[in-house]
Amino acid sequence: MAAVVPAAGAGVRLGAGVPKAFIEIDGTSMLVRAVAGLLDSGVVDDVVAVVPAARVRETESLLAPLRADGHLVVVTTGGAERTDSVRNGLAALESTAPAGDAGYDVLLVHDAARCLAPAGPTRRVVETVRAGAGAVVPVLPVVDTVKEVDDDGVVIGTPDRSALRAVQTPQGFDPALLLAAYDAAGDVATDDAGLVERLGEPVVTVEGHALSFKITTADDRMLAEFRLNPPPPRPEEPHD
């Protein structure tokens, strides 16, 4: 099994002055945490990190310690859009496969910004693809009421919350299906499973995890730091 980790985004909303995936959470970059988490899941063999061209050499150095136990960790350059970056990552996997290799059974795509994602959802995704599903995404129920609005911000509908799910990564795919979806992609997409949906193919869901939240804003970063370093419990107040 192999994973593509698109990490070429600028991260403007975080306002840290460096590409988002290279921002550190408790002293370790989001990219390193994301790649290490995939490899530590026990079900991912190889990873391709897709980064800005100016960061390739730096990334090679950052990820060098993770190249152990036979894992292939490849670094390639990203594109203008997320779909371009994932496409580059898929091409890098194909070009680095050993001669005579039959290819991968499962391909994952995982956002570097979801760097605290635990192993459980990754394993569930992989197991479900191996069981025959062509595309699998981890999800959580939507807890807030959601409104649909028009261009002027006027509410035009309230979807039934019970049928809504927040989608996370890693998303898993049968390799042939994911490649076909990218071959057919004609425009930008923020979600790989969405490309599969355009082919009319079903997408299966599995249980996600609260720690798989996406770090996009400064508040998200603070939450990630807090989850890694929660404050010690307060001592009990003495009773009179």
Side-chain angles (χ1 to χ4, degrees):
M1 286 149 289
V4 175
V5 181
V12 174
R13 282 174 287 182
L14 266 174
V18 297
K20 178 166 61 177
F22 294 85
I23 293 171
E24 293 187 351
I25 306 295
D26 193 33
T28 302
S29 73
M30 287 197 278
L31 176 57
V32 171
R33 286 189 179 277
V35 173
L38 289 168
L39 297 177
D40 289 344
S41 71
V43 294
V44 176
D45 301 301
D46 305 328
V47 176
V48 174
V50 189
V51 302
R55 297 269 178 169
V56 169
R57 292 186 65 181
E58 174 188 355
T59 306
E60 290 276 3
S61 177
L62 287 172
L63 298 181
L66 303 180
R67 294 186 178 96
D69 301 323
H71 292 304
L72 178 69
V73 181
V74 177
V75 180
T76 192
T77 57
E81 302 290 346
R82 185 182 187 279
T83 46
D84 301 318
S85 292
V86 175
R87 190 176 281 112
N88 289 357
L90 294 172
L93 275 179
E94 183 177 7
S95 66
T96 55
D101 194 297
Y104 296 103
D105 297 322
V106 180
L107 290 180
L108 303 177
V109 184
H110 184 42
D111 295 332
R114 300 184 188 273
C115 63
L116 301 189
T122 302
R123 293 172 182 161
R124 287 191 285 272
V125 167
V126 169
E127 289 167 1
T128 307
V129 175
R130 281 184 154 177
V136 182
V137 296
V139 301
L140 290 178
V142 173
V143 297
D144 294 319
T145 296
V146 176
K147 299 290 187 182
E148 182 182 1
V149 300
D150 62 17
D151 291 340
D152 296 320
V154 178
V155 172
I156 58 176
T158 305
D160 179 4
R161 187 175 65 190
S162 67
L164 299 178
R165 298 293 183 270
V167 179
Q168 302 177 326
T169 68
Q171 300 181 358
F173 305 90
D174 172 88
L177 180 57
L178 181 61
L179 293 172
Y182 267 90
D183 285 342
D187 54 10
V188 175
T190 59
D191 176 63
D192 303 282
L195 298 179
V196 172
E197 292 170 40
R198 294 178 192 177
L199 297 181
E201 297 291 337
V203 177
V204 177
T205 64
V206 297
E207 182 184 0
H209 197 284
L211 281 177
S212 298
F213 68 93
K214 190 174 184 180
I215 301 173
T216 302
T217 66
D219 285 345
D220 297 331
R221 184 181 182 185
M222 291 174 60
L223 175 59
E225 295 275 3
F226 176 84
R227 295 302 296 263
L228 290 172
N229 295 291
R234 296 176 60 182
E236 293 186 10
E237 297 275 343
H239 296 290
D240 292 335

